[in-house]
Amino acid sequence: MITVEQLSLRQGAFRLDDVSFTVPAGRYAVLMGRTGTGKTTVLEAIAGLRRIRSGRVLLADRDVTREKPGARNIGYVPQDGALFTSMTVRDNLGFALAIRRWPREKIDARVRELADLLGIPHLLDRHTAGLSGGEAQRVALGRALAAHPPVLLLDEPLSALDEDTRNEMYALLQSVRARTGVTALHVTHSATDADRLADVVFRLRDGRISA
Amino acid sequence: MPPPVSSGTPNLAVTEPAHRPRSDVPFYAGLLALGAVYVVLLAGLLIADAAYTTPAQLWTALQSPEIRYAVWLSLWSCTLSALLSLLVAVPIGYLMSRHRFRGQALVDGLLDIPIVLPPLVVGLSLLILFHSVWGRWLEDAFKVMLAWFGVRRIRGITYDIPAVILAQFAVAAAFAVRTMRVTFDQISPRREQVAMTLGCNRSQAFWRVVLPEARRGLLTAFTLAWARSLGEFGPILIFAGATRLRTEVLSTTVFLELSVGNLEAAVAVSLLMIVAALAVLLLVRQLGSERNFTRAIEP
């Protein structure tokens, strides 16, 4: 479950006040809004990457408002993937597990599992530099899911992809959701994303959320 | 509101004569001509130096124990000061790039002082600093440390080898700081943020994600600091002196040989410096090449 209660924040001249919404456990929510409405800011606040003025964030029934990003147990997929370019695909996928000091064999097994889920076993030893947009987003998604987070936060994950790749990703995201039972919040300006993926749609407009 | 309707039908069927852009030759000819001026000047400098000396003169210069000492001191003092430069440049560059704080503009300006100030003034200021109460206290503490570690070759800071390194470092570090600041500016903070959502604290995100990506910047900063240190002269002369077999580095040698009218030796040493600088530049470029980089990290 993702719950945002009376969230307020300021960023320069930009402000959001009293934003509240809930994504029930296991549901896929799409947060829509035009460019500049602050939807990415809301997502970053949930991830703990942006300081909030007031309000609470609850993830999987735990109040994480004061927690660091790393303690919130989330998977975060930013728009451009933001893969770690000094590592191979394998090391990108295993990153969260290496940080958690998993033993080598367990990491290998989990990376293999993720690669199968995302259809990228052939890319494991590749460097991130030569990956296509769709491949990079698959790796970013796998990296986010590695440590079994109950919550997945996606920031315009499909906006840079072509039509065909985007359709593949819709199917992939649906199967990931079915197989992991993760609660997802997906930020986008694309109505198609919402049509194809959403159980719940929120709209952010003039600093207010409407369902 | 409907768009205003213009009276009369616009004629869309008019055909303009086909447009052909003019030749690109003059543009490139201009670029090449201007660029060539500088490249030819540099090549001319090297050729003139090389033509002025003979291998025999170079050999003679290398036989001199003073010059051999200067070569040795130059190589390792430059390496040490370049490493020290990185040691301060990485934290300063990272903090300045990732954080906004009160007084940042002031710090930024301060960091540019060694770049703007005449090197001679840097040397003089170092000398004055180490003659102040604090400076003398520091020098005494350093001497105690030397005695404690049983070092006999070095007797203090001022007019000794540590002064050479400190003079090089004072200027070279400013260039390394600039380089690292730009390097970190060019690395998107997004990757660190992702690393933090994956369970890293700031330190882990820095060591595991940011620093490996800053690799090329690190090499550039190191090379720049090293080269800058090799060319350092004024501050060393003032702060460390030009004592043969003690604080003499290659740039000092050129000056000392010139001042006694030994032009051949001065040019021979200059050539040595050019060769050393080119060797280091090429070596570092090679180490930092994409191919080696990929080979080093792939299983």
Side-chain angles (χ1 to χ4, degrees):
Chain A
M1 192 171 74
I2 303 171
T3 303
V4 172
E5 281 178 5
Q6 297 173 314
L7 177 79
S8 298
L9 54 81
R10 302 266 184 287
Q11 188 194 339
F14 177 82
R15 57 186 289 172
L16 276 178
D17 284 306
D18 206 14
V19 169
S20 301
F21 62 91
T22 295
V23 183
R27 294 305 175 89
Y28 199 110
V30 169
L31 173 58
M32 293 191 61
R34 293 190 187 181
T35 309
T37 48
K39 48 193 195 305
T40 292
T41 312
V42 171
L43 200 71
E44 288 174 348
I46 297 172
L49 297 170
R50 193 166 294 285
R51 190 169 300 196
I52 64 173
R53 279 174 77 99
S54 62
R56 295 205 307 162
V57 177
L58 287 89
L59 300 176
D61 298 323
R62 188 164 62 102
D63 186 343
V64 296
T65 314
R66 306 261 163 264
E67 299 278 13
K68 286 181 180 176
R72 296 188 178 205
N73 208 7
I74 50 171
Y76 173 57
V77 181
Q79 183 172 359
D80 53 356
L83 296 181
F84 304 141
T85 55
S86 61
M87 300 174 202
T88 58
V89 169
R90 184 188 299 280
D91 290 342
N92 268 276
L93 290 177
F95 187 84
L97 312 177
I99 292 294
R100 285 165 175 72
R101 298 176 180 280
W102 280 31
R104 188 73 241 175
E105 321 79 69
K106 266 186 85 183
I107 294 182
D108 285 343
R110 177 63 179 150
V111 165
R112 176 58 56 181
E113 198 175 272
L114 286 164
D116 288 338
L117 176 69
L118 300 165
I120 49 173
H122 58 293
L123 298 177
L124 281 179
D125 292 317
R126 282 266 298 276
H127 210 52
T128 58
L131 300 181
S132 71
E135 289 169 342
Q137 281 308 38
R138 281 164 193 254
V139 177
L141 185 60
R143 180 181 59 182
L145 291 169
H148 301 287
V151 168
L152 187 60
L153 304 172
L154 307 113
D155 189 3
E156 304 255 11
L158 312 177
S159 64
L161 304 179
D162 62 62
E163 195 73 33
D164 289 346
T165 315
R166 187 184 277 249
N167 281 325
E168 284 170 29
M169 288 298 288
Y170 286 140
L172 182 70
L173 283 168
Q174 281 159 353
S175 91
V176 161
R177 196 201 135 182
R179 289 174 63 176
T180 61
V182 72
T183 309
L185 180 61
H186 174 134
V187 157
T188 184
H189 60 257
S190 152
T192 324
D193 282 12
D195 288 345
R196 296 289 298 267
L197 297 165
D199 300 324
V200 196
V201 178
F202 299 107
R203 278 169 228 284
L204 185 59
R205 208 161 144 194
D206 306 325
R208 299 231 154 263
I209 290 266
S210 56
Chain B
M1 197 172 74
V5 180
S6 63
S7 57
T9 328
N11 188 354
L12 299 172
V14 173
T15 47
E16 289 281 329
H19 170 73
R20 283 175 66 97
R22 284 195 233 161
S23 162
D24 290 331
V25 172
F27 175 67
Y28 278 104
L31 292 186
L32 281 173
L34 288 173
V37 172
Y38 189 54
V39 175
V40 167
L41 173 69
L42 291 181
L45 291 176
L46 296 188
I47 292 168
D49 281 348
Y52 194 87
T53 68
T54 61
Q57 280 168 341
L58 254 179
W59 186 244
T60 319
L62 267 178
Q63 292 298 100
S64 138
E66 289 84 5
I67 290 179
R68 287 234 291 263
Y69 178 88
V71 171
W72 176 80
L73 181 61
S74 278
L75 291 181
W76 82 256
S77 67
C78 290
T79 307
L80 196 60
S81 67
L83 287 174
L84 289 174
S85 299
L86 279 189
L87 201 64
V88 298
V90 169
I92 296 175
Y94 185 71
L95 285 173
M96 297 291 283
S97 166
R98 288 295 187 268
H99 296 279
R100 298 287 162 265
F101 52 87
R102 213 180 285 259
Q104 190 166 23
L106 191 72
V107 176
D108 205 27
L110 204 64
L111 289 168
D112 269 342
I113 284 182
I115 297 175
V116 190
L117 223 57
L120 219 56
V121 178
V122 175
L124 185 63
S125 310
L126 276 169
L127 196 64
I128 291 170
L129 175 66
F130 275 84
H131 274 83
S132 69
V133 181
W134 296 106
R136 265 181 284 176
W137 182 85
L138 197 70
E139 179 140 15
D140 289 341
F142 185 71
K143 282 176 182 166
V144 170
M145 215 174 71
L146 288 175
W148 202 69
F149 282 106
V151 180
R152 299 246 185 84
R153 269 189 74 85
I154 300 170
R155 288 178 217 141
I157 297 177
T158 320
Y159 298 120
D160 211 324
I161 294 173
V164 174
I165 294 160
L166 206 55
Q168 290 170 340
F169 165 79
V171 179
F175 288 85
V177 166
R178 283 279 110 178
T179 312
M180 289 320 299
R181 165 89 192 261
V182 173
T183 301
F184 289 127
D185 278 346
Q186 284 170 350
I187 296 175
S188 158
R190 189 59 84 190
R191 299 208 188 99
E192 279 157 271
Q193 294 180 337
V194 171
M196 287 195 286
T197 65
L198 292 171
C200 287
N201 61 16
R202 286 257 171 207
S203 161
Q204 285 171 313
F206 176 78
W207 288 104
R208 287 175 179 251
V209 173
V210 184
L211 209 57
E213 299 204 2
R215 218 175 145 282
R216 286 173 160 273
L218 285 169
L219 279 172
T220 309
F222 178 86
T223 320
L224 208 60
W226 194 93
R228 184 69 220 190
S229 302
L230 184 71
E232 208 55 73
F233 170 63
I236 297 180
L237 194 68
I238 294 181
F239 186 44
T243 319
R244 299 219 103 159
L245 294 172
R246 175 159 286 275
T247 58
E248 178 183 354
V249 287
L250 286 173
S251 53
T252 328
T253 312
V254 175
F255 172 75
L256 290 177
E257 296 295 348
L258 261 181
S259 63
V260 296
N262 191 354
L263 194 56
E264 286 77 16
V267 174
V269 172
S270 305
L271 262 182
L272 273 178
M273 287 176 77
I274 291 168
V275 172
L278 279 179
V280 166
L281 287 178
L282 288 177
L283 184 77
V284 172
R285 291 266 158 83
Q286 182 59 33
L287 287 175
S289 74
E290 199 60 58
R291 201 162 46 85
N292 277 327
F293 178 38
T294 314
R295 198 188 299 151
I297 64 163
E298 263 175 5

